[in-house]
């Protein structure tokens, strides 16, 4: 097997709102990479609250050396996001014209929107700006698909399925399933394997 | 992952969180005792040690505060047991007296104190640099660059501690504690020594007679550090510039030197032993250059101590830059790769081809609503702050509220209707309120309210409550009892009835403690908005010290224990903008579960976010919010 990466280091950002399972998804991805012999480092940024704040994880993958846990501005190769406005917030700082973006379309309304001080932008406007900032944008209805599959909380693993299907990501379904099997059992494992496959198929179709 | 930290697989490489690596390093060193008070970003270390305590044959406790934790470790050390103490940077300030005293008495069993600093204060009220405490207390300090080194330094810290008979501090930062990278496991000890008998003349006494010994230990540490494998130089033999760095700065600097193509002209001197500095080792390398850039987290600690070395070595002729010198790096805030890249570009004139990026002009950019921190859906603090705000509005006097540290610190922001006028440190609210309340003798007549959570109550409010009682301060002390140290991840505290090792313990009743001090105490449910608003109003009107316990379990914990009731809006009953409530549920109440259905012009519940507490159903003036089902599952 060739260990060489399409780009080294390969920089991936996984972002969303606290409580969406961002940290677990990232940990599973990076564990699968380390199991496969890559250097993987993860930097996690989350605020003081357990839930509700923006959460962003940086994953840096290399075949040859360890990198610092944070990605320099404008140098994300892939952005995977669980929340559209957070996708745009992160893309403005970290995307470049080659960046590939996978984003859920389901809004999670911030306080300012709830109390009517700010409005939530339309998905069309968000995607239009994302397309200007990056190389490619794919919207995946991750939360809705996860709800259909049995649990909205599984949207994180569903998006990891989509990420794994990208040719530049050097792990495959079996690698990710292996770490899922290490950490889950019974119904939770069944659900996670199922949504992972659904996510994978979103890209492969 | 807990199984990783006790996996008997020497040589195996796993992805580990820095906090996991620290726990593993302590277990590889053969600790038998661990104590901590939770504080981000350090909390996972003791949580994991508690979970594996039985299998690893160790004792682990969530101490009531950091001083309890450090002094408990000193007790274990007296019997020559290796112990690990863990806290965040604020903690190392609260243990100041204990730390400075322990450094005089020294230790017997190895004692490593891990301090997790939080540059940029992601989960803190300040970004204190704990290295100042190591220097002030004359305690050796190590600073890892990655997760592997965090494990290895903690393990070696025990050898150093026992060789010097001194405690050893290991300083980490959020990016190490909460970062993850590959860690290769070492051996776990097969057998752990039993506690030693403490003899008639064995002593651990902190008194100034031992100051010479303390100074000698630091000098001995410095000698050991001169040859430490945690310090190294990488770069050309005659560099134009040397970057001196520690902690996260090593990987950021390495990447910046590589990106800018400076490998032949810029060297990197990486220091793992940041106090005391290995002076001879540093001079040996700095003599090769005329320019030095210091890259470090938080304060110019390394930089100022290098300036100190330069002052005593006339052979060094150096232009020093960093967070202080040349203002090469911002004085405030966390490091990141771009800060280091920019500093190096400014000093060398070298740039590199960044990937093509697009900047959208502000007038064309989508307006993004900021994502403010707020209380979780169903959080009892939302109810507490709402009813306190209401009460203080009803009251004719302008109420003054003193906050404290925990999830409810957010009550000073929009999430809590900007209720606080005062915020200091753990336990600071009640003491400030005691002082303010005692001004009533001079005519100060505004109601004074202090807030504290249940974990903070045990941590640092008890002396304050005794003080307020004894001096009968004119104030209301509100304990927001959500039965959790919620902000840091639900660690148990003495009121919970559970230990760090998962064993049942007899809970200490906050109510009984308060009553034993002789205070008048009222217990109320914050979810009973009308009833509790009246209770608070009546308490505020009374003179003297009053204590109110607002008791309701943390929503994030509660939702795990019971079947979630379904809460929804009957849009036929919701009167929309014609109601006159001004969209109370989403605009005023502000729970993330209460959203607005713009198409229907009616209220709506986000059922993915809602946890089913049902409080909004009791507040809707039209009775449009409905609740059904849900049962306790305990």
């Amino acid at each position: 097997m060739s260990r060489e990466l399409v780009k080294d280091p390969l920089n991936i950002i996984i972002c969303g709102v606290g409580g969406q399972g961002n940290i677990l998804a990232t940990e599973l991805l990076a564990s699968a990479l380390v199991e496969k012999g890559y250097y993987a480092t993860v930097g996690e940024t989350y605020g003081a609250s357990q839930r509700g704040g923006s959460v962003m994880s940086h994953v840096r993958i290399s075949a040859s050396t360890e990198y610092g846990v944070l990605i320099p501005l404008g140098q994300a190769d892939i952005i995977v996001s669980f929340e559209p406005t957070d996708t745009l917030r992160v893309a403005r700082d970290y995307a470049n014209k080659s960046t590939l973006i996978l984003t859920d379309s389901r809004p999670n309304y911030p306080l300012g929107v709830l109390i009517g001080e700010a409005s939530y932008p339309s998905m069309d406007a968000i995607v239009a700006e994302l397309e200007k900032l990056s190389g490619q944008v794919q919207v995946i209805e991750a939360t809705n698909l996860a709800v259909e599959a049995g649990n909205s909380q599984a949207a994180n693993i569903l998006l990891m399925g989509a990420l794994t299907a990208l040719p530049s990501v050097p792990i495959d379904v079996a690698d990710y399933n292996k770490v899922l099997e290490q950490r889950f059992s019974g119904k939770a494992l069944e659900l996670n394997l199922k949504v992972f496959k659904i996510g994978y198929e979103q890209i492969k179709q | 992952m807990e199984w990783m930290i006790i996996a008997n697989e020497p040589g195996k490489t796993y992805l580990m969180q820095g906090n996991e690596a620290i726990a593993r390093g302590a277990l590889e060193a053969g600790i038998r005792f661990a104590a901590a008070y939770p504080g981000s970003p350090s909390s996972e270390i003791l949580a994991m040690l508690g979970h594996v305590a039985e299998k690893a044959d160790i004792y682990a406790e969530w101490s009531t505060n950091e001083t309890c934790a450090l002094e408990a470790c000193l007790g274990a050390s007296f019997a020559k047991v290796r112990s690990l103490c863990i806290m965040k940077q604020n903690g190392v300030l609260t243990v100041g007296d204990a730390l400075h005293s322990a450094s005089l008495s020294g230790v017997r069993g190895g004692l490593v104190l891990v301090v997790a600093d939080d540059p940029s204060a992601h989960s803190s009220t300040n970004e204190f640099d704990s290295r100042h405490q190591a220097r002030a207390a004359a305690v050796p300090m190590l600073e890892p660059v990655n997760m592997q080194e965090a494990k290895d330094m903690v393990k070696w810290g025990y050898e150093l501690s026992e060789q010097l008979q001194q405690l050893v501090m290991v300083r980490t930062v959020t990016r190490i504690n909460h970062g993850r990278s590959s860690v290769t496991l070492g051996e776990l000890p097969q057998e752990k020594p039993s506690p030693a008998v403490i003899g008639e003349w064995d002593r651990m006494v902190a008194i100034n007679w031992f100051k010479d010994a303390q100074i000698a230990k630091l000098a001995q540490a410095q000698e050991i550090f001169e040859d430490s494998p945690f310090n190294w130089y990488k770069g050309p033999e005659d560099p134009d510039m040397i970057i001196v760095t520690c902690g996260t700065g090593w990987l950021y600097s390495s990447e910046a030197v590589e990106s800018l193509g400076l490998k032949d002209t810029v060297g990197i001197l990486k220091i793992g032993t940041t106090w005391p500095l290995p002076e001879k080792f540093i001079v040996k390398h700095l003599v090769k250059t005329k320019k030095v850039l210091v890259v470090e987290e938080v304060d110019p600690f390394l930089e100022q101590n290098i300036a100190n070395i330069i002052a005593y070595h006339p052979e060094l002729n150096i232009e020093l830059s960093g967070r202080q010198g040349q203002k090469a790096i911002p004085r405030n805030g966390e490091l990141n790769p771009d800060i280091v890249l920019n500093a190096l570009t400014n000093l060398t004139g070298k740039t590199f081809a960044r990937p093509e990026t697009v900047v959208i002009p502000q007038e064309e950019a989508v307006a993004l609503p900021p994502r403010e921190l707020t209380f979780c859906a169903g959080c009892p603090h939302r109810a507490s702050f709402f009813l306190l705000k209401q009460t203080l509005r009803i009251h004719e006097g302008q109420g003054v509220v003193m906050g404290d540290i925990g999830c409810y610190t957010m009550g000073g922001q929009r999430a809590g209707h900007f209720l606080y006028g005062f915020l200091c440190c753990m336990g600071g609210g009640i003491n400030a309120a005691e002082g303010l309340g005692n001004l009533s003798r001079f005519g100060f007549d505004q109601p004074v309210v202090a807030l504290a959570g249940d974990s903070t109550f045990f941590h640092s409010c008890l002396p304050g409550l005794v003080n307020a009682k004894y001096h009968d301060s004119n104030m209301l002390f509100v304990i927001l009892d959500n039965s959790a140290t919620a902000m840091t991840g639900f660690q148990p505290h003495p009121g919970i009835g559970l230990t760090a090792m998962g064993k049942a313990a007899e809970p200490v009743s906050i109510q009984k403690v308060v009553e034993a001090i002789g205070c008048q105490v009222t217990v109320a449910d914050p979810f009973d908005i009308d009833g509790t608003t009246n209770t608070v109003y009546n308490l505020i009107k009374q003179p003297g010290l009053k204590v109110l316990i607002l008791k309701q379990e943390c929503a994030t914990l509660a939702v795990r224990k019971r079947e979630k009731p379904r809460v929804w809006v009957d849009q036929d009953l919701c009167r929309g903008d014609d109601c006159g409530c001004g969209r109370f549920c989403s605009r005023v109440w502000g729970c993330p579960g209460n959203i607005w259905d713009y198409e229907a012009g009616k209220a709506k519940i986000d059922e993915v976010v809602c946890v089913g507490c049902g409080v909004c159903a009791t507040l809707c003036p039209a009775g449009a919010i409905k609740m059904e089902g849900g049962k306790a599952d305990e």
Side-chain angles (χ1 to χ4, degrees):
Chain A
M1 183 198 74
S2 163
R3 287 173 32 86
E4 211 165 290
L5 293 164
V6 183
K7 184 178 160 290
D8 197 332
L10 184 71
N11 295 327
I12 302 176
I13 294 181
I14 298 170
C15 62
V17 176
Q20 290 184 320
N22 178 324
I23 289 167
L24 175 68
T26 309
E27 194 262 323
L28 295 173
L29 168 71
S31 290
L33 287 158
V34 168
E35 277 285 319
K36 216 154 180 196
Y38 289 98
Y39 289 90
T41 55
V42 179
E44 283 157 1
T45 303
Y46 39 92
S49 68
Q50 288 277 329
R51 290 167 178 220
S54 292
V55 180
M56 171 166 66
S57 302
H58 290 193
V59 183
R60 312 193 72 190
I61 310 161
S62 172
S64 59
T65 189
E66 180 182 358
Y67 278 85
V69 298
L70 295 179
I71 296 169
L73 295 173
Q75 293 195 39
D77 299 300
I78 302 168
I79 296 172
V80 184
S81 173
F82 304 149
E83 209 288 334
T85 55
D86 278 86
T87 317
L88 186 50
R89 224 184 304 276
V90 168
R92 283 177 183 170
D93 288 338
Y94 291 98
N96 61 59
K97 283 308 288 174
S98 313
T99 305
L100 197 161
I101 295 174
L102 302 178
T103 180
D104 196 344
S105 59
R106 193 176 197 285
N108 180 303
Y109 297 113
L111 197 56
V113 171
L114 295 179
I115 63 173
E117 270 192 8
S119 58
Y120 196 93
S122 76
M123 194 61 198
D124 288 346
I126 291 173
V127 171
E129 186 171 328
L130 287 173
E131 280 173 345
K132 286 185 213 162
L133 293 169
S134 68
Q136 197 189 332
V137 182
Q138 183 161 354
V139 177
I140 294 172
E141 306 283 336
T143 307
N144 293 343
L145 289 167
V147 170
E148 279 171 31
N151 190 338
S152 63
Q153 285 293 317
N156 58 343
I157 304 298
L158 194 140
L159 276 171
M160 287 301 103
L163 175 69
T164 304
L166 300 175
S168 57
V169 177
I171 52 168
D172 54 35
V173 180
D175 299 323
Y176 208 98
N177 285 354
K178 195 169 140 193
V179 296
L180 284 174
E181 281 158 11
Q182 264 174 353
R183 287 160 176 77
F184 296 97
S185 59
K187 277 190 179 164
L189 176 63
E190 212 175 291
L191 176 69
N192 282 327
L193 292 173
K194 181 172 152 193
V195 295
F196 185 85
K197 189 157 173 279
I198 295 171
Y200 192 85
E201 283 161 0
Q202 298 302 306
I203 300 293
K204 287 293 172 192
Q205 300 170 351
Chain B
M1 297 295 127
E2 276 138 34
W3 54 269
M4 276 178 202
I5 71 170
I6 49 169
N8 192 16
E9 300 172 79
K12 170 81 183 168
T13 300
Y14 283 115
L15 178 83
M16 287 179 106
Q17 194 193 44
N19 282 341
E20 290 170 343
I22 289 164
R24 172 74 190 196
L27 291 175
E28 287 182 8
I31 62 156
R32 290 208 91 172
F33 193 97
Y37 182 78
S40 303
S42 72
S43 308
E44 292 85 353
I45 304 170
L46 194 108
M48 281 181 286
L49 288 172
H51 291 158
V52 303
E54 201 161 321
K55 284 183 189 156
D57 193 19
I58 63 166
Y59 171 80
E61 72 170 39
W62 282 121
S63 304
T64 305
N65 65 30
E66 293 86 351
T67 305
C68 297
L70 180 58
E71 289 173 342
C73 287
L74 288 169
S77 172
F78 201 16
K80 296 195 174 175
V81 165
R82 288 187 167 187
S83 61
L84 177 70
C85 186
I86 311 128
M87 58 192 64
K88 69 182 294 179
Q89 85 278 7
N90 303 90
V92 85
L93 287 168
T94 74
V95 302
D97 200 5
L99 180 66
H100 287 238
S101 300
S103 158
L104 275 176
S105 69
V107 301
R108 284 158 47 95
L111 200 170
V112 171
L113 168 57
V114 171
V115 182
D117 283 8
D118 188 18
S120 277
H122 294 291
S123 318
S124 311
T125 50
N126 63 52
E127 57 161 16
F128 176 69
D129 188 328
S130 61
R131 295 177 298 179
H132 298 299
Q133 276 285 50
R135 181 177 153 150
V139 170
M141 176 172 264
L142 310 173
E143 217 175 322
V145 296
N146 62 11
M147 322 322 159
Q148 178 74 50
E149 208 176 56
K151 177 184 87 66
D152 295 342
M153 275 183 175
V154 167
K155 185 178 181 182
W156 183 69
Y158 286 92
E159 287 174 38
L160 180 66
S161 175
E162 286 174 2
Q163 187 180 352
L164 298 173
Q165 300 208 327
Q166 183 60 292
L167 58 131
V168 169
M169 288 171 77
V170 175
R171 181 218 194 197
T172 55
V173 291
T174 306
R175 298 300 170 189
I176 302 289
N177 296 92
H178 281 171
R180 295 174 199 272
S181 69
S182 303
V183 174
T184 302
L185 304 183
E187 303 233 10
L188 289 172
Q190 294 299 311
E191 280 180 30
K192 295 186 177 178
S194 298
V197 172
I198 295 166
E200 178 75 15
W201 292 101
D202 288 333
R203 292 287 183 275
M204 268 174 65
V205 170
I207 199 152
N208 206 49
W209 296 336
F210 302 117
K211 182 140 185 191
D212 285 337
Q214 181 194 48
I215 293 166
K217 287 174 186 181
L218 203 63
Q220 194 188 347
Q222 190 173 32
E223 276 309 308
I224 294 167
F225 290 169
E226 294 289 356
D227 303 312
S228 169
F230 295 125
N231 303 323
W232 67 72
Y233 175 77
K234 186 182 164 197
E237 272 316 296
D238 56 341
D240 293 344
M241 185 198 295
I242 290 180
I243 299 173
V244 183
T245 188
C246 57
T248 57
W250 159 251
L251 286 172
Y252 298 149
S253 301
S254 301
E255 185 174 355
V257 166
E258 178 78 34
S259 297
L260 296 171
L262 291 167
K263 275 201 320 203
D264 298 331
T265 53
V266 175
I268 307 179
L269 187 63
K270 179 271 191 195
I271 305 293
T273 61
T274 41
W275 190 255
L277 287 178
E279 187 167 336
K280 284 177 249 172
F281 173 81
I282 288 174
V283 171
K284 182 178 87 182
H285 290 286
L286 293 198
V287 80
K288 300 171 192 166
T289 193
K290 299 268 181 270
K291 274 188 177 178
V292 168
L293 168 66
V294 185
V295 176
E296 61 190 314
E297 294 282 15
V298 187
D299 284 341
F301 177 88
L302 190 54
E303 185 181 346
Q304 288 171 348
N305 287 308
I306 292 214
N308 200 357
I309 290 173
I310 293 171
Y312 290 102
H313 288 271
E315 70 270 34
L316 296 179
N317 177 19
I318 282 169
E319 188 181 71
L320 189 59
S321 51
R323 287 194 186 258
Q324 182 175 329
Q326 324 289 323
K327 297 188 170 58
I329 289 174
R331 182 60 189 80
N332 186 359
E334 188 180 39
L335 288 179
N336 62 44
D338 293 288
I339 286 175
V340 182
L341 269 166
N342 292 339
L344 215 46
T345 291
N346 291 340
L347 291 168
T348 63
K350 286 274 270 185
T351 55
F352 77 110
R354 287 174 183 267
E356 184 198 346
T357 55
V358 175
V359 179
I360 314 272
Q362 210 178 345
E363 58 276 15
E364 291 169 34
V366 173
L368 280 181
R371 194 166 288 287
E372 284 173 84
L373 289 176
T374 185
F375 297 124
C376 303
C379 175
H381 294 330
R382 176 174 292 103
S384 299
F385 280 91
F386 177 74
L387 67 89
L388 283 166
K389 184 82 178 186
Q390 286 217 111
T391 316
L392 293 170
R393 271 192 194 137
I394 302 165
H395 196 278
E396 56 276 22
Q398 173 78 37
V400 181
V401 182
M402 323 298 246
D404 220 297
I405 308 295
C407 289
Y408 53 96
T409 302
M410 276 188 282
Q413 299 157 25
R414 196 201 303 271
H417 310 282
F418 304 102
L419 195 67
Y420 295 166
F422 179 94
L423 177 69
C424 186
C425 60
M426 291 283 284
I430 186 169
N431 293 326
E434 191 272 341
L436 193 54
N438 265 315
L439 296 184
S440 53
R441 70 195 66 231
F442 303 127
F444 184 85
D445 62 357
Q446 294 173 241
V448 177
V449 180
L451 306 179
D454 41 346
S455 190
T456 303
F457 172 80
F458 288 114
H459 179 281
S460 47
C461 294
L462 286 170
L465 188 58
V466 171
N467 192 41
K469 169 64 192 164
Y470 190 66
H471 298 103
D472 197 27
S473 182
N474 217 4
M475 60 171 283
L476 171 66
F477 180 44
V478 181
I479 300 162
L480 303 167
D481 183 357
N482 64 352
S483 304
T485 315
M487 187 173 175
T488 51
F490 317 116
Q491 295 79 12
H493 61 66
I496 303 289
L498 197 66
T499 71
M501 300 186 290
K503 306 272 188 243
E506 192 184 334
V508 178
S509 157
I510 294 177
Q511 185 178 347
K512 283 186 186 162
V513 169
V514 175
E515 283 168 351
I517 291 171
C519 301
Q520 173 208 331
V521 60
T522 310
V523 181
D525 177 2
F527 282 176
D528 173 12
I529 301 277
D530 287 346
T532 303
T533 301
N534 279 329
T535 304
V536 177
Y537 183 64
N538 291 330
L539 286 173
I540 282 178
K541 283 198 299 187
Q542 296 167 31
L545 174 67
K546 292 84 55 181
V547 179
L548 171 67
I549 300 173
L550 290 178
K551 197 165 172 61
Q552 183 62 248
E553 191 177 24
C554 168
T556 304
L557 277 182
V559 76
R560 293 177 190 173
K561 292 186 188 163
R562 32 188 110 101
E563 194 181 305
K564 185 169 96 173
R566 178 169 177 250
V567 177
W568 82 100
V569 175
D570 182 341
Q571 292 196 338
D572 291 337
L573 293 177
C574 175
R575 298 188 288 249
D577 282 332
D578 297 332
C579 177
C581 73
R583 300 189 194 173
F584 174 85
C585 58
S586 60
R587 276 192 178 161
V588 181
W589 182 240
C591 175
N594 294 97
I595 57 176
W596 193 253
D597 181 343
Y598 283 93
E599 278 174 28
K602 302 278 176 92
K604 193 179 169 185
I605 300 293
D606 184 337
E607 292 190 31
V608 171
V609 175
C610 174
V611 297
C613 75
V615 178
C616 59
T618 70
L619 296 172
C620 173
I625 304 180
K626 302 290 181 190
M627 181 168 170
E628 73 176 6
K631 57 173 192 247
D633 186 22
E634 287 171 272

